[in-house]
Amino acid sequence: MTVKKIIKIKANICNQELSRLHIGRDNIDTVLSNIVRSEIAPAFIVVDLFCGAGGTTTGFEMSNGVAKVIACVNHDPIAIISHWRNHPHVLHFEEDIRTLDLYCLQRITEHYRNLYPNAKLILWASLECTNCSKAKGGQPRDADSRTLANYLHRYVSSLG
């Protein structure tokens, strides 16, 4: 079964879930109005880039409130669906980090900084190991994928 067929099947099964994935300029105010301060103020708020299925987010959540993941970005629709199912309380962006409109992500981080003014912002970027190490088993590496780290300055300067 091809990836497109899998995505289409998953989309049919969880249309309601997929509709929650698209945050844009037209609905960001509504989304943010539903996010309120929790009783436990985190020391860190986290944006998880290249979030995959959510292992890093799970790790942060195991900190018992010390860190709170607020948004995740990944270009792969299956990874985002998996992450959303594992972490439905986190805002998701199914985008390539090279083309993501940072407006909504900036608004989200500003909102959380207002809720938790003492929290430090962590921009977590777990670059794929298969093209940045020997993890690909000697197969050719994708040079374009290895350049993804070059785009992180956009996030640091925009969210910092």
Side-chain angles (χ1 to χ4, degrees):
M1 190 176 293
T2 67
V3 173
K4 286 187 179 185
K5 284 184 181 176
I6 292 170
I7 294 168
K8 203 175 262 189
I9 289 168
K10 288 187 181 236
N12 290 335
I13 293 170
C14 54
N15 274 333
Q16 191 174 27
E17 294 174 6
L18 287 174
S19 68
R20 296 179 190 182
L21 296 177
H22 300 287
I23 301 165
R25 290 175 183 252
D26 59 332
N27 68 351
I28 188 65
D29 291 326
T30 303
V31 170
L32 294 177
S33 69
N34 289 305
I35 299 172
V36 296
R37 182 179 168 87
S38 61
E39 290 182 29
I40 300 173
F44 302 97
I45 51 176
V46 182
V47 174
D48 187 359
L49 303 177
F50 314 107
C51 66
T56 298
T57 300
T58 299
F60 279 118
E61 288 179 348
M62 292 173 70
S63 70
N64 294 323
V66 172
K68 179 174 187 64
V69 178
I70 61 171
C72 296
V73 181
N74 196 304
H75 72 285
D76 183 85
I78 294 174
I80 283 292
I81 290 169
S82 178
H83 194 287
W84 187 85
R85 286 185 176 161
N86 290 325
H87 307 284
H89 53 282
V90 176
L91 299 174
H92 293 85
F93 294 89
E94 182 188 320
E95 294 285 339
D96 187 315
I97 68 156
R98 296 171 281 200
T99 58
L100 177 64
D101 177 3
L102 294 178
Y103 175 79
C104 291
L105 201 51
Q106 287 170 324
R107 292 286 311 280
I108 292 164
T109 56
E110 287 169 9
H111 183 78
Y112 274 95
R113 283 183 158 175
N114 288 331
L115 291 176
Y116 308 108
N118 295 324
K120 305 288 186 230
L121 176 65
I122 296 175
L123 180 64
W124 190 272
S126 299
L127 295 171
E128 59 180 347
C129 63
T130 55
N131 288 300
C132 296
S133 71
K134 293 182 180 185
K136 203 157 188 170
Q139 297 175 1
R141 296 185 185 139
D142 179 0
D144 184 50
S145 177
R146 294 179 83 180
T147 66
L148 288 174
N150 296 339
Y151 292 88
L152 295 180
H153 68 86
R154 289 181 62 220
Y155 290 84
V156 173
S157 60
S158 294
L159 304 179

